[in-house]
Coordinates of all heavy atoms in Angstrom, one line a residue:
M997 N -25.3 -8.0 5.5 CA -24.3 -8.2 4.4 C -23.0 -7.6 4.8 O -22.9 -6.4 5.2 CB -24.8 -7.5 3.2 CG -24.0 -7.7 2.0 SD -24.9 -7.2 0.5 CE -23.7 -7.4 -0.7
P998 N -21.9 -8.3 4.7 CA -20.6 -7.8 5.1 C -20.1 -6.7 4.2 O -20.4 -6.7 3.0 CB -19.6 -9.0 5.1 CG -20.4 -10.0 4.3 CD -21.8 -9.7 4.3
K999 N -19.3 -5.8 4.7 CA -18.8 -4.7 3.9 C -17.6 -5.2 3.1 O -16.7 -5.9 3.6 CB -18.3 -3.6 4.8 CG -17.7 -2.4 4.0 CD -17.2 -1.3 5.0 CE -16.6 -0.2 4.1 NZ -15.9 0.7 4.9
V1000 N -17.6 -4.9 1.8 CA -16.5 -5.3 0.9 C -15.5 -4.2 0.8 O -16.0 -3.0 0.5 CB -17.1 -5.8 -0.5 CG1 -15.9 -6.1 -1.4 CG2 -18.0 -7.0 -0.3
T1001 N -14.3 -4.4 0.9 CA -13.2 -3.4 0.8 C -12.3 -3.8 -0.3 O -11.8 -4.9 -0.4 CB -12.4 -3.3 2.1 OG1 -13.3 -3.1 3.2 CG2 -11.4 -2.2 2.1
T1002 N -12.1 -2.9 -1.3 CA -11.3 -3.2 -2.4 C -9.8 -3.0 -2.0 O -9.5 -2.4 -1.0 CB -11.6 -2.2 -3.6 OG1 -11.2 -0.9 -3.2 CG2 -13.0 -2.3 -4.0
T1003 N -9.0 -3.6 -2.8 CA -7.5 -3.5 -2.6 C -7.1 -2.1 -2.6 O -6.3 -1.6 -1.8 CB -6.8 -4.3 -3.7 OG1 -7.2 -5.7 -3.6 CG2 -5.3 -4.2 -3.5
E1004 N -7.7 -1.3 -3.5 CA -7.3 0.2 -3.6 C -7.7 0.9 -2.3 O -6.9 1.7 -1.8 CB -8.1 0.8 -4.8 CG -7.8 2.3 -4.9 CD -6.3 2.7 -5.3 OE1 -5.6 1.8 -5.8 OE2 -6.0 3.8 -5.1
Q1005 N -8.8 0.6 -1.7 CA -9.2 1.2 -0.4 C -8.2 0.8 0.7 O -7.9 1.6 1.5 CB -10.6 0.8 -0.1 CG -11.7 1.4 -0.9 CD -13.1 0.9 -0.7 OE1 -13.2 -0.4 -0.6 NE2 -14.1 1.7 -0.7
V1006 N -7.9 -0.5 0.7 CA -6.9 -1.0 1.7 C -5.6 -0.2 1.5 O -5.0 0.2 2.5 CB -6.7 -2.5 1.6 CG1 -5.6 -3.0 2.5 CG2 -8.0 -3.2 2.0
L1007 N -5.1 -0.1 0.3 CA -3.9 0.6 0.0 C -3.9 2.0 0.4 O -3.0 2.5 1.1 CB -3.6 0.5 -1.5 CG -2.4 1.4 -2.0 CD1 -1.1 1.0 -1.3 CD2 -2.3 1.3 -3.5
R1008 N -4.9 2.7 0.1 CA -5.0 4.2 0.4 C -5.1 4.4 2.0 O -4.5 5.3 2.5 CB -6.2 4.8 -0.3 CG -6.0 4.9 -1.8 CD -7.1 5.6 -2.6 NE -7.2 7.0 -2.2 CZ -6.3 7.9 -2.6 NH1 -5.3 7.6 -3.4 NH2 -6.5 9.2 -2.3
A1009 N -5.8 3.5 2.6 CA -5.9 3.6 4.1 C -4.6 3.3 4.7 O -4.2 4.0 5.7 CB -7.0 2.6 4.6
A1010 N -3.9 2.3 4.2 CA -2.5 2.0 4.8 C -1.6 3.1 4.5 O -0.8 3.4 5.4 CB -2.0 0.7 4.2
L1011 N -1.6 3.7 3.3 CA -0.7 4.8 3.0 C -1.0 6.0 4.0 O -0.1 6.7 4.5 CB -0.9 5.3 1.6 CG -0.2 4.4 0.5 CD1 -0.7 4.7 -0.9 CD2 1.3 4.5 0.6
A1012 N -2.3 6.2 4.2 CA -2.7 7.3 5.1 C -2.2 7.1 6.5 O -1.7 8.0 7.2 CB -4.2 7.5 5.1
R1013 N -2.3 5.9 7.0 CA -1.7 5.5 8.3 C -0.2 5.7 8.4 O 0.3 6.3 9.3 CB -2.1 4.1 8.7 CG -3.5 3.9 9.2 CD -3.7 2.5 9.8 NE -3.6 1.5 8.8 CZ -4.5 1.1 7.9 NH1 -5.7 1.7 7.9 NH2 -4.3 0.1 7.1
A1014 N 0.5 5.2 7.3 CA 1.9 5.3 7.3 C 2.4 6.8 7.2 O 3.4 7.1 7.8 CB 2.5 4.5 6.1
A1015 N 1.7 7.6 6.5 CA 2.1 9.0 6.3 C 1.4 9.9 7.3 O 1.8 11.1 7.4 CB 1.6 9.5 4.9
D1016 N 0.6 9.3 8.2 CA -0.1 10.1 9.2 C -0.8 11.3 8.6 O -0.6 12.5 9.0 CB 0.9 10.6 10.3 CG 0.2 11.0 11.6 OD1 -1.0 10.6 11.8 OD2 0.7 11.8 12.3
R1017 N -1.7 11.0 7.6 CA -2.5 12.0 7.0 C -3.8 11.4 6.5 O -4.0 10.2 6.6 CB -1.8 12.7 5.8 CG -1.3 11.7 4.8 CD -0.7 12.3 3.5 NE 0.3 13.3 3.7 CZ 0.7 14.0 2.7 NH1 0.3 13.9 1.5 NH2 1.6 14.9 2.9
G1018 N -4.7 12.3 6.1 CA -6.0 11.8 5.7 C -6.0 11.0 4.3 O -5.1 11.3 3.5
V1019 N -6.9 10.1 4.2 CA -6.9 9.3 3.0 C -7.1 10.2 1.7 O -6.5 9.9 0.7 CB -8.1 8.3 3.0 CG1 -8.3 7.6 1.7 CG2 -7.8 7.3 4.1
D1020 N -7.9 11.3 1.8 CA -8.1 12.1 0.7 C -6.9 13.0 0.3 O -6.9 13.6 -0.8 CB -9.3 13.1 1.0 CG -10.6 12.3 1.2 OD1 -10.7 11.2 0.7 OD2 -11.5 12.9 1.9
T1021 N -5.9 13.0 1.1 CA -4.7 13.8 0.8 C -3.6 12.9 0.2 O -2.5 13.5 -0.1 CB -4.1 14.5 2.1 OG1 -3.6 13.5 3.0 CG2 -5.2 15.3 2.8
I1022 N -3.8 11.7 -0.1 CA -2.8 10.8 -0.7 C -2.8 11.0 -2.2 O -3.8 10.7 -2.8 CB -3.1 9.3 -0.4 CG1 -3.1 9.0 1.2 CG2 -2.1 8.4 -1.0 CD1 -1.9 9.3 1.9
P1023 N -1.7 11.5 -2.8 CA -1.7 11.7 -4.2 C -1.7 10.4 -5.0 O -1.2 9.4 -4.5 CB -0.4 12.4 -4.4 CG 0.5 12.1 -3.3 CD -0.5 11.8 -2.1
E1024 N -2.4 10.4 -6.1 CA -2.5 9.2 -6.9 C -1.1 8.6 -7.3 O -0.9 7.4 -7.4 CB -3.3 9.5 -8.2 CG -4.7 9.6 -8.0 CD -5.4 8.4 -7.4 OE1 -5.2 7.3 -7.9 OE2 -6.2 8.5 -6.4
D1025 N -0.1 9.5 -7.6 CA 1.2 9.0 -8.0 C 2.3 9.7 -7.3 O 3.3 10.1 -7.8 CB 1.4 9.1 -9.6 CG 2.6 8.4 -10.0 OD1 3.1 7.5 -9.3 OD2 3.2 8.8 -11.1
G1026 N 2.0 9.9 -6.0 CA 3.0 10.6 -5.2 C 4.2 9.7 -4.9 O 4.2 8.5 -5.0
H1027 N 5.4 10.4 -4.6 CA 6.6 9.7 -4.2 C 6.5 9.3 -2.7 O 6.1 10.2 -1.9 CB 7.8 10.6 -4.5 CG 9.1 9.9 -4.3 ND1 9.7 9.7 -3.1 CD2 9.9 9.3 -5.3 CE1 10.8 9.1 -3.3 NE2 11.0 8.8 -4.6
L1028 N 6.8 8.1 -2.4 CA 6.5 7.7 -1.0 C 7.3 8.5 0.0 O 6.8 8.9 1.0 CB 6.9 6.2 -0.9 CG 6.0 5.2 -1.7 CD1 6.6 3.8 -1.5 CD2 4.6 5.3 -1.2
E1029 N 8.6 8.7 -0.3 CA 9.4 9.5 0.7 C 9.3 11.0 0.5 O 9.0 11.7 1.5 CB 10.9 9.1 0.6 CG 11.7 9.7 1.7 CD 13.1 9.1 1.8 OE1 13.6 8.4 0.9 OE2 13.8 9.5 2.8
Q1030 N 9.4 11.5 -0.7 CA 9.4 12.9 -0.9 C 8.0 13.6 -0.6 O 7.9 14.6 0.0 CB 9.9 13.3 -2.3 CG 11.3 12.9 -2.5 CD 11.8 13.0 -3.9 OE1 11.0 13.2 -4.8 NE2 13.1 12.9 -4.2
D1031 N 7.0 12.9 -1.1 CA 5.6 13.5 -1.0 C 4.9 13.1 0.2 O 4.1 13.9 0.8 CB 4.8 13.1 -2.2 CG 5.3 13.7 -3.5 OD1 6.0 14.7 -3.5 OD2 5.1 13.0 -4.6
L1032 N 5.2 11.9 0.7 CA 4.4 11.4 1.9 C 5.2 11.2 3.1 O 4.7 11.0 4.2 CB 3.8 10.0 1.5 CG 2.8 10.0 0.4 CD1 2.4 8.6 0.0 CD2 1.6 10.9 0.7
G1033 N 6.6 11.4 3.0 CA 7.4 11.3 4.2 C 7.6 9.9 4.8 O 7.8 9.7 5.9
I1034 N 7.4 8.9 3.9 CA 7.5 7.5 4.3 C 8.9 7.1 4.2 O 9.4 6.9 3.1 CB 6.5 6.6 3.5 CG1 5.1 7.0 3.8 CG2 6.8 5.1 3.9 CD1 4.0 6.3 3.0
D1035 N 9.6 7.0 5.3 CA 11.0 6.6 5.3 C 11.1 5.1 5.3 O 10.1 4.4 5.2 CB 11.8 7.2 6.4 CG 11.3 6.8 7.8 OD1 10.5 5.8 7.9 OD2 11.7 7.4 8.8
S1036 N 12.3 4.5 5.3 CA 12.5 3.1 5.2 C 11.8 2.3 6.4 O 11.2 1.2 6.1 CB 14.0 2.7 5.2 OG 14.7 3.2 6.4
L1037 N 11.8 2.9 7.6 CA 11.1 2.2 8.7 C 9.6 2.2 8.5 O 8.9 1.2 8.6 CB 11.5 2.9 10.0 CG 10.8 2.3 11.2 CD1 11.1 0.8 11.4 CD2 11.2 3.1 12.5
A1038 N 9.1 3.4 8.1 CA 7.6 3.5 7.8 C 7.2 2.6 6.6 O 6.1 2.0 6.6 CB 7.3 4.9 7.6
L1039 N 8.1 2.5 5.6 CA 7.8 1.6 4.5 C 7.7 0.1 5.0 O 6.9 -0.6 4.5 CB 8.9 1.8 3.4 CG 8.7 0.9 2.2 CD1 7.4 1.2 1.5 CD2 9.9 1.1 1.2
A1040 N 8.6 -0.3 5.8 CA 8.6 -1.6 6.3 C 7.3 -1.9 7.1 O 6.7 -2.9 6.9 CB 9.8 -1.9 7.2
E1041 N 6.9 -0.9 7.9 CA 5.6 -1.0 8.6 C 4.4 -1.0 7.6 O 3.5 -1.8 7.8 CB 5.5 0.1 9.6 CG 6.5 0.0 10.7 CD 6.5 1.2 11.6 OE1 5.8 2.2 11.3 OE2 7.2 1.2 12.6
L1042 N 4.5 -0.2 6.6 CA 3.4 -0.2 5.6 C 3.3 -1.5 4.9 O 2.2 -2.1 4.7 CB 3.7 0.9 4.5 CG 2.9 1.0 3.3 CD1 1.4 1.3 3.6 CD2 3.4 2.0 2.3
V1043 N 4.4 -2.1 4.5 CA 4.4 -3.4 3.8 C 3.8 -4.5 4.7 O 3.0 -5.3 4.3 CB 5.9 -3.8 3.3 CG1 6.0 -5.2 2.9 CG2 6.2 -2.9 2.2
T1044 N 4.2 -4.5 6.0 CA 3.7 -5.5 6.9 C 2.2 -5.3 7.1 O 1.4 -6.3 7.1 CB 4.4 -5.3 8.3 OG1 5.8 -5.5 8.1 CG2 3.8 -6.3 9.3
D1045 N 1.7 -4.0 7.2 CA 0.3 -3.7 7.3 C -0.4 -4.3 6.0 O -1.5 -5.0 6.2 CB 0.1 -2.2 7.4 CG -1.3 -1.8 7.6 OD1 -2.1 -2.6 8.1 OD2 -1.6 -0.6 7.4
L1046 N 0.1 -4.0 4.8 CA -0.6 -4.5 3.6 C -0.6 -6.0 3.5 O -1.5 -6.6 3.1 CB 0.1 -3.9 2.4 CG -0.1 -2.4 2.2 CD1 0.8 -1.8 1.1 CD2 -1.6 -2.1 1.8
E1047 N 0.6 -6.6 3.9 CA 0.6 -8.1 3.9 C -0.4 -8.7 4.8 O -1.1 -9.7 4.4 CB 2.0 -8.6 4.3 CG 3.1 -8.3 3.3 CD 4.5 -8.7 3.8 OE1 4.8 -8.7 5.0 OE2 5.3 -9.2 2.9
Q1048 N -0.6 -8.2 5.9 CA -1.6 -8.7 6.9 C -3.0 -8.5 6.4 O -3.9 -9.4 6.4 CB -1.4 -8.1 8.2 CG -0.2 -8.5 8.9 CD 0.1 -7.8 10.2 OE1 -0.5 -6.8 10.5 NE2 1.1 -8.3 11.0
R1049 N -3.3 -7.3 5.9 CA -4.7 -6.9 5.5 C -5.1 -7.6 4.2 O -6.3 -7.9 4.0 CB -4.8 -5.4 5.4 CG -4.8 -4.8 6.7 CD -4.9 -3.3 6.6 NE -4.6 -2.6 7.9 CZ -5.4 -2.5 8.9 NH1 -6.7 -2.9 8.8 NH2 -5.1 -1.9 10.0
L1050 N -4.1 -7.8 3.3 CA -4.4 -8.4 2.0 C -4.0 -9.9 1.9 O -4.2 -10.5 0.8 CB -3.7 -7.6 0.9 CG -4.2 -6.2 0.7 CD1 -3.3 -5.4 -0.2 CD2 -5.7 -6.1 0.3
T1051 N -3.4 -10.4 2.9 CA -2.9 -11.8 3.0 C -2.1 -12.1 1.7 O -2.4 -13.1 1.0 CB -4.0 -12.9 3.2 OG1 -5.0 -12.7 2.2 CG2 -4.7 -12.7 4.6
V1052 N -1.1 -11.3 1.6 CA -0.1 -11.5 0.5 C 1.3 -11.5 1.1 O 1.5 -11.0 2.3 CB -0.2 -10.5 -0.6 CG1 -1.5 -10.5 -1.3 CG2 0.1 -9.1 -0.1
V1053 N 2.3 -11.9 0.4 CA 3.7 -11.8 0.8 C 4.4 -10.8 -0.2 O 4.4 -11.1 -1.4 CB 4.4 -13.1 0.9 CG1 5.9 -12.9 1.2 CG2 3.7 -14.0 1.9
I1054 N 4.9 -9.7 0.3 CA 5.7 -8.8 -0.5 C 7.1 -9.1 -0.3 O 7.7 -8.8 0.7 CB 5.3 -7.3 -0.2 CG1 3.8 -7.1 -0.4 CG2 6.1 -6.4 -1.0 CD1 3.3 -5.8 0.1
P1055 N 7.8 -9.6 -1.4 CA 9.2 -9.9 -1.2 C 10.1 -8.7 -0.9 O 9.8 -7.6 -1.3 CB 9.6 -10.5 -2.6 CG 8.3 -10.9 -3.2 CD 7.3 -9.9 -2.7
D1056 N 11.1 -9.0 -0.1 CA 12.0 -7.9 0.4 C 12.6 -7.1 -0.8 O 12.8 -5.9 -0.8 CB 13.1 -8.4 1.2 CG 12.6 -8.9 2.6 OD1 11.5 -8.5 3.0 OD2 13.3 -9.6 3.3
E1057 N 13.0 -7.9 -1.9 CA 13.6 -7.2 -3.0 C 12.6 -6.3 -3.7 O 13.0 -5.3 -4.3 CB 14.2 -8.2 -4.0 CG 13.2 -9.2 -4.6 CD 13.0 -10.5 -3.8 OE1 13.5 -10.6 -2.7 OE2 12.3 -11.4 -4.3
E1058 N 11.3 -6.6 -3.7 CA 10.3 -5.7 -4.2 C 10.1 -4.5 -3.4 O 10.0 -3.4 -3.9 CB 8.9 -6.4 -4.4 CG 8.9 -7.6 -5.4 CD 8.9 -7.1 -6.8 OE1 8.7 -5.9 -7.1 OE2 9.1 -8.0 -7.7
T1059 N 10.2 -4.7 -2.1 CA 10.0 -3.6 -1.1 C 11.1 -2.6 -1.3 O 10.9 -1.4 -1.3 CB 10.1 -4.1 0.3 OG1 9.0 -5.0 0.5 CG2 10.0 -2.9 1.3
G1060 N 12.4 -3.0 -1.6 CA 13.5 -2.2 -1.8 C 13.4 -1.3 -3.0 O 14.1 -0.3 -3.1
R1061 N 12.6 -1.7 -4.0 CA 12.4 -1.0 -5.2 C 11.3 0.0 -5.2 O 11.1 0.7 -6.2 CB 12.3 -2.0 -6.4 CG 13.5 -2.7 -6.7 CD 13.4 -3.5 -8.0 NE 12.5 -4.6 -8.0 CZ 12.9 -5.9 -7.9 NH1 14.2 -6.2 -8.0 NH2 12.0 -6.8 -7.9
L1062 N 10.4 -0.1 -4.2 CA 9.3 0.8 -4.1 C 9.7 2.3 -4.0 O 10.4 2.6 -3.0 CB 8.3 0.4 -3.0 CG 7.6 -1.0 -3.2 CD1 6.9 -1.3 -1.9 CD2 6.7 -0.9 -4.4
R1063 N 9.1 3.1 -4.8 CA 9.4 4.5 -4.7 C 8.2 5.4 -4.8 O 8.1 6.5 -4.3 CB 10.3 5.0 -5.9 CG 11.7 4.3 -6.0 CD 12.6 4.8 -4.9 NE 13.9 4.1 -4.9 CZ 14.2 3.0 -4.2 NH1 13.4 2.5 -3.3 NH2 15.4 2.5 -4.3
T1064 N 7.1 4.9 -5.5 CA 5.9 5.7 -5.7 C 4.6 5.0 -5.3 O 4.6 3.7 -5.2 CB 5.8 6.2 -7.2 OG1 5.6 5.0 -7.9 CG2 7.0 6.9 -7.6
V1065 N 3.6 5.7 -5.1 CA 2.3 5.1 -4.9 C 1.9 4.2 -6.1 O 1.4 3.1 -5.9 CB 1.2 6.2 -4.7 CG1 -0.2 5.6 -4.5 CG2 1.5 7.1 -3.4
A1066 N 2.1 4.7 -7.3 CA 1.8 3.9 -8.5 C 2.6 2.6 -8.5 O 2.1 1.6 -8.9 CB 2.0 4.8 -9.7
G1067 N 3.8 2.7 -8.1 CA 4.7 1.5 -8.1 C 4.1 0.5 -7.1 O 4.1 -0.8 -7.4
L1068 N 3.7 0.9 -5.9 CA 3.1 0.1 -4.9 C 1.8 -0.5 -5.4 O 1.5 -1.7 -5.3 CB 2.9 0.8 -3.6 CG 2.4 0.1 -2.4 CD1 3.2 -1.2 -2.2 CD2 2.3 1.0 -1.2
R1069 N 1.0 0.3 -6.1 CA -0.3 -0.1 -6.6 C -0.1 -1.2 -7.7 O -0.7 -2.2 -7.7 CB -1.0 1.1 -7.3 CG -2.4 0.7 -7.8 CD -3.1 2.0 -8.3 NE -3.5 2.9 -7.3 CZ -2.9 4.1 -7.1 NH1 -2.0 4.6 -8.0 NH2 -3.3 4.9 -6.1
A1070 N 0.9 -1.0 -8.6 CA 1.2 -2.0 -9.6 C 1.7 -3.3 -9.0 O 1.4 -4.4 -9.4 CB 2.3 -1.5 -10.5
L1071 N 2.5 -3.2 -7.9 CA 3.0 -4.4 -7.3 C 1.8 -5.2 -6.7 O 1.8 -6.4 -6.8 CB 4.0 -4.0 -6.2 CG 4.5 -5.2 -5.2 CD1 5.2 -6.3 -6.1 CD2 5.4 -4.6 -4.1
L1072 N 0.9 -4.5 -6.0 CA -0.2 -5.2 -5.4 C -1.1 -5.8 -6.5 O -1.7 -6.9 -6.3 CB -1.0 -4.2 -4.5 CG -0.3 -3.8 -3.3 CD1 -1.2 -2.8 -2.5 CD2 0.0 -5.0 -2.4
A1073 N -1.2 -5.1 -7.6 CA -2.0 -5.7 -8.7 C -1.5 -7.0 -9.2 O -2.2 -7.9 -9.6 CB -2.1 -4.7 -9.9
R1074 N -0.1 -7.2 -9.1 CA 0.5 -8.5 -9.5 C 0.3 -9.5 -8.4 O 0.2 -10.7 -8.7 CB 2.0 -8.3 -9.8 CG 2.3 -7.5 -11.0 CD 3.8 -7.6 -11.5 NE 4.7 -7.7 -10.4 CZ 5.4 -6.6 -10.0 NH1 5.2 -5.4 -10.5 NH2 6.3 -6.7 -9.0
L1075 N 0.3 -9.1 -7.1 CA 0.3 -10.0 -6.0 C -1.1 -10.4 -5.6 O -1.3 -11.6 -5.1 CB 1.0 -9.5 -4.8 CG 2.5 -9.2 -5.1 CD1 3.1 -8.5 -3.8 CD2 3.3 -10.5 -5.4
V1076 N -2.1 -9.5 -5.7 CA -3.4 -9.8 -5.2 C -4.2 -10.3 -6.4 O -4.3 -9.7 -7.4 CB -4.1 -8.5 -4.6 CG1 -5.5 -8.8 -4.2 CG2 -3.3 -8.0 -3.5
P1077 N -4.8 -11.5 -6.2 CA -5.6 -12.1 -7.3 C -6.7 -11.1 -7.8 O -7.3 -10.4 -7.0 CB -6.2 -13.3 -6.7 CG -5.3 -13.7 -5.6 CD -4.8 -12.4 -5.1
S1078 N -6.9 -11.0 -9.1 CA -7.9 -10.1 -9.7 C -9.3 -10.3 -9.1 O -9.7 -11.5 -8.9 CB -7.9 -10.4 -11.2 OG -8.9 -9.5 -11.8
G1079 N -9.9 -9.2 -8.7 CA -11.2 -9.3 -8.1 C -11.2 -9.7 -6.7 O -12.3 -9.9 -6.1
M1080 N -10.0 -9.9 -6.1 CA -10.0 -10.4 -4.7 C -10.1 -9.2 -3.8 O -9.3 -8.3 -3.8 CB -8.6 -11.1 -4.4 CG -8.4 -11.5 -3.0 SD -9.4 -13.0 -2.9 CE -8.3 -14.0 -1.9
D1081 N -11.2 -9.2 -3.0 CA -11.5 -8.2 -2.1 C -11.5 -8.8 -0.7 O -11.8 -10.0 -0.5 CB -12.8 -7.4 -2.4 CG -12.7 -6.7 -3.7 OD1 -11.7 -6.1 -4.0 OD2 -13.8 -6.6 -4.4
T1082 N -11.3 -7.9 0.3 CA -11.3 -8.4 1.7 C -12.7 -8.1 2.3 O -13.3 -7.1 1.9 CB -10.2 -7.8 2.5 OG1 -10.4 -6.3 2.5 CG2 -8.8 -8.1 2.0
L1083 N -13.1 -8.9 3.2 CA -14.4 -8.6 3.9 C -14.2 -8.1 5.3 O -13.2 -8.3 5.9 CB -15.2 -9.9 3.9 CG -15.5 -10.6 2.6 CD1 -16.3 -11.9 2.9 CD2 -16.4 -9.7 1.8

């Protein structure tokens, strides 16, 4: 049986890679730059990573407004169809 990965797991793993820290250290509502050290270049890489893993397109204007983990989670909730998990 294939392993099912939720959008939240993909998000947390991508944030951990972008911030170069463990998944368990990602705050639920941390600030991307201040708390995680994700600058504009790292954010662009994070967005690309999420787009590839979740097969979504995150518009540039949305990327420019991202400031927090919660904001990114809310954006993905709008873009990823409900119940859509990756295998």
Side-chain angles (χ1 to χ4, degrees):
M997 183 169 176
K999 181 181 177 193
V1000 175
T1001 305
T1002 66
T1003 300
E1004 179 67 17
Q1005 289 170 318
V1006 171
L1007 170 61
R1008 292 183 65 74
L1011 284 166
R1013 283 189 296 277
D1016 195 26
R1017 55 170 51 188
V1019 172
D1020 295 337
T1021 67
I1022 303 298
E1024 287 297 314
D1025 191 23
H1027 190 277
L1028 295 175
E1029 187 170 10
Q1030 294 169 351
D1031 297 329
L1032 298 175
I1034 297 175
D1035 62 12
S1036 59
L1037 179 58
L1039 179 60
E1041 292 171 356
L1042 170 63
V1043 166
T1044 299
D1045 187 19
L1046 289 169
E1047 287 178 327
Q1048 291 173 347
R1049 292 176 189 279
L1050 297 172
T1051 56
V1052 297
V1053 174
I1054 300 173
D1056 291 341
E1057 59 274 6
E1058 294 286 349
T1059 300
R1061 290 192 288 255
L1062 291 174
R1063 300 287 179 263
T1064 65
V1065 174
L1068 183 52
R1069 185 178 290 115
L1071 174 62
L1072 292 177
R1074 288 194 324 264
L1075 296 176
V1076 177
S1078 180
M1080 179 76 140
D1081 294 326
T1082 59
L1083 301 178

